[in-house]
Amino acid sequence: MIQDSPERGQATHPLLSEALKLFFPVTAAHAVLLPLIWVTAFAFELPFARQIPASQWHAHEMIFGTYGAALAGFLGSAMPEWTDTKPRRGRALLLLLALWLPGRLIGFLGADALILPAALTDFAFLALLLAYIVRPLIERRSTRHGSFALWIMLFALIELGIRAAWLLGETEWSARLLQAALAVFLVFLSLAIARINVVVVNHALDPSGETTPYRPHPGRQNLTAGLVGLQLVAALIAPHSAVPAWLALAAAAAFFDRLAEWFIGRAVLRAEVLALAAANAYGGFGFLAIGLAGLGVPVAPATGLHLLSVGALGSAVMAVLVIAGLRHSGRDLVLPPAAKLALALMAAAGLARVLPEIGIGESLLGRHYQLAAGLWSAAFATWLIGFWPILNAPKQDDGGCG
């Protein structure tokens, strides 16, 4: 079906009417394929990876591929909404997708020889995304949401740093920078959830929208983002000191503090509220594990990283796909069965990835990689099947995600 484009007076397919309607299905499709190819087709190896560890290729594609597409969809739709400007659509979105795609094809194969073209297209993708979100801020002469622009700039620079380290054979530095990229995305998570959380919880408390009983403390809204940013800087500057460990514990406390504000009665049991709570809980436990490991407690740092990458970010991205997907399609925040199942599968993927490593379900150790990958892919496949008809249909009325 076709909608009229108010921007140029031409017909625009619903999937090209705004960023999330295009990039959320792209996110899900990439997320379905990435672990299946990594685990099933290539058995944890990549056919053209020689100098670069296959695990680094995999981590890069998870962060800059799957989560990068989700970021483009969310900010590409949220920024025009926040600034009351026209969203990018049509060819502008296809150009953004065209810049995102080459790096993903190269990453699926781990083609070491094609690092440079992948670096150029990925950097161009992030630069264009930056331009798309800065333009409405300039139009409105606003700096209110300008922090997103600054973090995207840092994200793009880290991407260049990773590719440069790969070209130079400095895989120790690229591993550090991949962790830095993960931290930057956790900042995006914190900033986004701080905005979405208020809308979702108030809707759970008063579906009519006539009142706003939930008002979190303003000073704590961006506390997690600030502490994650400090931990990121410390981990890059002084990785072998105790400072990153203590800051990781502080970041963990900030994530748990965000959960402490959600004493809202039975409304907390709604699926959309639990999904956001799960993202914060995974974030808290992830940084707790990293902090304890840095202080000598026998906890594997990789366990903390997986709690953050699979648990926190996976749950947060799935929650955004569900909540923003419904709101921006003009539907009320009543989750269909496919959405609830997708959220449950994602939460289970995070648990399956880390529990055997900490002594729970040890019989699955070794097979938990395949189990977590299968649950991860199933979560995004379930969302894609359930939301494809919703996103592919004309918008019913004005929604939004706050």
Side-chain angles (χ1 to χ4, degrees):
M1 301 180 71
I2 302 296
Q3 288 180 303
D4 288 334
S5 169
E7 196 170 8
R8 296 186 180 181
Q10 63 185 14
T12 302
H13 190 278
L15 290 177
L16 299 178
S17 61
E18 62 173 306
L20 69 78
K21 289 198 170 188
L22 175 64
F23 276 97
F24 280 9
V26 168
T27 297
H30 186 268
V32 170
L33 291 174
L34 181 64
L36 292 181
I37 291 175
W38 165 247
V39 174
T40 305
F42 296 145
F44 304 104
E45 297 294 337
L46 294 174
F48 299 105
R50 299 293 183 266
Q51 298 178 342
I52 301 166
S55 59
Q56 290 195 16
W57 272 112
H58 178 67
H60 180 277
E61 289 311 299
M62 185 183 199
I63 297 169
F64 290 93
T66 299
Y67 294 153
L71 181 68
F74 175 74
L75 286 182
S77 288
M79 194 61 72
E81 178 190 342
W82 293 335
T83 56
D84 193 24
T85 55
K86 291 182 180 179
R88 290 285 182 167
R89 60 185 67 203
R91 292 179 181 177
L93 296 180
L94 289 176
L95 175 58
L96 197 60
L97 178 62
L99 292 172
W100 174 87
L101 190 57
R104 311 294 68 79
L105 298 176
I106 294 169
F108 272 134
L109 300 175
D112 290 0
L114 297 176
I115 293 173
L116 186 57
L120 294 175
T121 53
D122 274 3
F123 183 78
F125 162 73
L126 292 170
L128 186 60
L129 175 61
L130 176 63
Y132 284 179
I133 69 169
V134 166
R135 180 178 174 181
L137 294 175
I138 294 174
E139 287 181 7
R140 294 301 183 193
R141 297 181 180 179
S142 171
T143 59
R144 183 179 178 187
H145 304 288
S147 58
F148 283 101
L150 295 175
W151 285 105
I152 286 181
M153 290 173 62
L154 179 58
F155 198 50
L157 292 175
I158 291 174
E159 159 65 2
L160 286 182
I162 293 168
R163 301 289 192 178
W166 282 353
L167 286 170
L168 296 172
E170 296 288 344
T171 53
E172 182 180 346
W173 258 105
S174 58
R176 269 192 227 173
L177 289 171
L178 281 167
Q179 292 183 29
L182 176 63
V184 169
F185 223 99
L186 287 163
V187 172
F188 286 134
L189 177 158
S190 301
L191 294 173
I193 287 186
R195 288 154 174 79
I196 296 174
N197 176 41
V198 178
V199 176
V200 171
V201 173
N202 275 312
H203 181 273
L205 291 170
D206 182 8
S208 70
E210 295 178 358
T211 63
T212 54
Y214 173 69
R215 297 182 182 182
H217 192 283
R220 294 152 72 182
Q221 278 288 82
N222 295 321
L223 181 61
T224 53
L227 288 170
V228 171
L230 287 175
Q231 201 276 337
L232 158 65
V233 173
L236 285 175
I237 295 176
H240 303 297
S241 73
V243 175
W246 288 112
L247 286 172
L249 293 179
F255 275 105
F256 291 138
D257 176 72
R258 182 171 277 174
L259 289 174
E261 290 190 326
W262 288 6
F263 290 103
I264 57 174
R266 295 183 62 184
V268 78
L269 298 178
R270 292 178 65 94
E272 62 273 23
V273 178
L274 286 175
L276 295 174
N280 283 299
Y282 271 122
F285 283 114
F287 276 111
L288 177 62
I290 290 172
L292 292 177
L295 294 176
V297 177
V299 178
T303 298
L305 292 174
H306 292 138
L307 280 164
L308 296 176
S309 59
V310 180
L313 288 181
S315 296
V317 167
M318 183 57 69
V320 170
L321 262 61
V322 168
I323 295 167
L326 289 172
R327 299 281 287 180
H328 278 256
S329 298
R331 287 162 171 78
D332 196 8
L333 198 56
V334 178
L335 272 59
K340 295 178 180 179
L341 178 57
L343 290 168
L345 287 169
M346 182 56 67
L351 293 176
R353 185 63 185 82
V354 299
L355 288 183
E357 297 177 358
I358 59 174
I360 301 175
E362 286 185 277
S363 60
L364 294 173
L365 197 62
R367 293 175 292 166
H368 68 298
Y369 302 111
Q370 292 89 336
L371 177 59
L375 290 168
W376 166 280
S377 292
F380 280 103
T382 300
W383 180 90
L384 187 59
I385 293 170
F387 275 73
W388 179 258
I390 295 174
L391 298 178
N392 201 31
K395 190 173 182 179
Q396 293 182 358
D397 52 43
D398 289 335
C401 61

